[in-house]
């Protein structure tokens, strides 16, 4: 075991601050990485503040961060995919059992023994796993991803969660040319959803509560922008969507979007507001509409997404911050004030 610097929160009401954490010495299948950049996902905020306590409560101290890009510093004797000096990335998962039908099918994210990058049981050291707001990390090579060498590294970090979480359902629900697709919420996930839906050739409509994001939405690849608090604008799209991806982090009326689906259309939730949704049966039975959810994506699909981004020159639009500004960034996220992902330059941690 060795010690490394990190930022952690001691309770649901504490700010994040500097600490030391233990990491395991790399075993034969492990890759050790120096972390260069780590994105700030709204899930980090939900977790630090224990907002998902009914579903997965937070163990403190918590070190968040699951959009990790770094450079390999050491590899175990059995590692074949990486060597010291290579770039590598880690997303939301660091392990799974590898033997269940879900793992065998490439759906590690559905494995009942899946280990999240933070706040999951750590089978090596005990306690819980610690995420990417840190100097370095050790991971099984099977959960490390290859980074295309033509992309800006700060802009790559958010692909590891915001990227795969939007890419996967857009692929699953057959988003292709000729489809009318809505993206609800223009934040970290939403802006990646717009880029992918546009790259897949769909007609893309952004729904936002922030009228000042209109021009950005068009620049990011939207064909139309609807201010969702304007009922008339919403009504103009009634019954017309094939697919709508909802990325909103807070309570809102999902029925307003179900009503915009054409027959057999689907709304998929990736946003994870803490409170239950209220959905009248008629929102679904009219037009045989469906509502579903989606969580990140498997390792193979995450690699496919990264390779797609390399080929199509897609990265996140980022605001790079030093780690000392992380608490301020959380407040700005809660105000929908992000363009469009905060990414921590981990060099800033070395100065502490
Ligand atoms: P984010 O950057 O904060 O973006 C969320 C966006 O939602 C905001 O920018 C805002 O967009 C909109 N919004 C916020 N409050 C709203 C409200 N009260 N009513 C309507 N719209 C509102 O967050 P993120 O990192 O993209 O994450 C979004 C959600 O996805 C979070 O709940 C997160 O935990 C979840 N998530 C899920 C997965 C998964 O695998 N399913 C993975 C990662 C994250 P506008 O200003 O455009 O309205
Ligand atoms: Zn995330």
């Amino acid at each position: 075991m060795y010690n490394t610097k990190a930022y952690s929160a001691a309770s649901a009401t504490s700010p994040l601050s500097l600490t030391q954490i233990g990491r395991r010495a790399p075993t034969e299948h492990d890759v050790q990485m120096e972390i260069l950049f780590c994105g700030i996902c709204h899930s980090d905020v939900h977790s630090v503040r224990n907002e998902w306590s009914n579903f997965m409560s937070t163990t403190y101290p918590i070190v968040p961060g699951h959009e990790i890009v770094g450079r390999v510093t050491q590899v175990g004797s059995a590692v074949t995919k990486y060597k010291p000096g290579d770039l590598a990335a880690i997303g939301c998962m660091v392990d799974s059992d590898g033997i269940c039908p879900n793992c065998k099918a490439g759906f590690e994210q559905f494995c009942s023994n899946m280990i999240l990058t933070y706040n999951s049981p750590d089978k090596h050291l005990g306690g819980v796993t610690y995420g990417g707001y840190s100097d370095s990390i050790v991971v099984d090579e099977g959960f490390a991803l290859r980074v295309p060498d033509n992309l800006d590294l700060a802009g790559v970090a958010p692909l590891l969660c915001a990227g795969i979480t939007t890419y996967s359902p857009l692929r699953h629900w057959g988003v292709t040319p000729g489809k009318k697709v809505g993206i609800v919420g223009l934040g970290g996930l939403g802006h990646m959803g717009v880029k992918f839906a546009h790259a897949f050739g769909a007609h893309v409509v952004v729904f936002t509560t922030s009228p000042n994001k209109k021009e950005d939405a068009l620049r990011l690849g939207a064909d139309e922008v609807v201010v969702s608090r304007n009922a008339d604008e919403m009504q103009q799209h009634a019954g017309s969507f094939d697919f709508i991806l909802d990325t909103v982090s807070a309570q809102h009326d999902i029925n307003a979007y179900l009503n915009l689906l054409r027959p057999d259309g689907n709304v998929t939730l990736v946003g994870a507001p803490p409170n239950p949704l209220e959905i009248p049966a008629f929102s679904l039975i009219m037009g045989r509409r469906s509502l579903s959810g989606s969580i990140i994506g498997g390792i193979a699909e995450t690699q496919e997404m990264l390779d797609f981004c390399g080929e199509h020159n897609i990265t996140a639009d980022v605001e790079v911050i030093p780690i000392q500004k992380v608490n301020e960034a959380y407040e700005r996220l809660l105000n929908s004030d992000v363009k469009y992902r905060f990414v921590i330059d981990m060099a800033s941690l070395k100065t502490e």
Side-chain angles (χ1 to χ4, degrees):
M1 202 176 100
Y2 67 100
N3 286 328
T4 190
K5 288 183 193 171
Y7 258 51
S8 73
S11 78
T13 53
S14 310
L16 290 148
S17 62
L18 181 66
T19 189
Q20 291 270 339
I21 55 166
R23 299 282 194 196
R24 67 179 183 267
T27 67
E28 59 176 347
H29 293 287
D30 282 340
V31 171
Q32 182 195 49
M33 280 162 54
E34 174 195 9
I35 300 175
L36 300 174
F37 294 100
C38 184
I40 298 179
C41 179
H42 207 114
S43 302
D44 301 350
V45 182
H46 291 308
S47 302
V48 163
R49 302 190 176 188
N50 205 11
E51 291 171 356
W52 290 333
S53 57
N54 290 336
F55 178 65
M56 46 161 97
S57 70
T58 302
T59 301
Y60 294 94
I62 177 174
V63 177
H66 57 207
E67 294 184 336
I68 301 168
V69 171
R71 199 169 288 284
V72 175
T73 44
Q74 206 183 319
V75 298
S77 57
V79 168
T80 55
K81 266 170 72 184
Y82 299 95
K83 58 180 189 318
D86 286 350
L87 291 172
I90 302 172
C92 301
M93 305 180 281
V94 288
D95 210 352
S96 69
D97 64 29
I99 53 173
C100 71
N102 290 321
C103 286
K104 295 259 186 240
F107 298 124
E108 295 88 353
Q109 74 275 33
F110 305 149
C111 172
S112 53
N113 296 308
M114 182 258 285
I115 303 292
L116 294 166
T117 305
Y118 60 82
N119 197 40
S120 267
D122 184 334
K123 71 181 183 198
H124 298 270
L125 297 180
V128 291
T129 50
Y130 292 135
Y133 297 9
S134 170
D135 259 348
S136 91
I137 190 165
V138 177
V139 68
D140 185 290
E141 71 166 327
F143 286 80
L145 285 305
R146 288 185 310 280
V147 175
D149 57 15
N150 58 321
L151 299 178
D152 168 64
L153 290 184
V156 167
L159 302 178
L160 278 300
C161 176
I164 184 60
T165 301
T166 50
Y167 181 95
S168 182
L170 290 168
R171 284 289 196 219
H172 178 77
W173 288 94
V175 169
T176 45
K179 295 286 168 71
K180 185 173 175 183
V181 171
I183 305 288
V184 187
L186 198 65
L189 266 58
H191 95 291
M192 289 312 308
V194 172
K195 290 190 184 204
F196 287 131
H198 174 74
F200 299 164
H203 181 88
V204 183
V205 181
V206 165
F207 295 94
T208 181
T209 58
S210 308
N212 63 348
K213 293 182 182 171
K214 236 174 173 170
E215 272 169 34
D216 282 346
L218 296 170
R219 176 181 55 80
L220 291 164
D223 297 286
E224 297 178 68
V225 185
V226 172
V227 176
S228 52
R229 291 190 170 132
N230 181 328
D232 289 342
E233 274 188 62
M234 292 288 280
Q235 189 53 35
Q236 282 169 25
H237 291 270
S240 67
F241 280 87
D242 297 287
F243 179 69
I244 298 177
L245 188 66
D246 186 325
T247 76
V248 174
S249 52
Q251 194 135 1
H252 62 292
D253 180 21
I254 188 86
N255 299 292
Y257 298 101
L258 290 167
N259 288 334
L260 301 188
L261 294 176
R262 65 171 76 224
D264 284 325
N266 173 270
V267 170
T268 289
L269 288 180
V270 285
N275 295 325
L277 307 169
E278 201 163 301
I279 298 156
F282 276 86
S283 285
L284 295 171
I285 63 182
M286 302 304 286
R288 199 162 57 190
R289 300 161 181 151
S290 66
L291 172 63
S292 51
S294 187
I295 181 158
I296 50 173
I299 292 295
E301 194 178 35
T302 305
Q303 190 63 61
E304 173 192 308
M305 178 274 309
L306 285 168
D307 296 345
F308 180 89
C309 288
E311 278 160 39
H312 297 263
N313 230 342
I314 293 174
T315 51
D317 284 29
V318 299
E319 181 173 339
V320 177
I321 59 163
I323 198 158
Q324 292 78 8
K325 292 228 161 138
V326 67
N327 295 301
E328 201 179 299
Y330 276 27
E331 293 306 318
R332 284 182 54 193
L333 265 192
L334 291 168
N335 290 321
S336 303
D337 176 22
V338 53
K339 294 189 170 175
Y340 279 90
R341 195 58 139 186
F342 292 113
V343 172
I344 304 166
D345 179 351
M346 217 47 77
S348 59
L349 186 54
K350 296 194 196 306
T351 64
E352 292 216 22

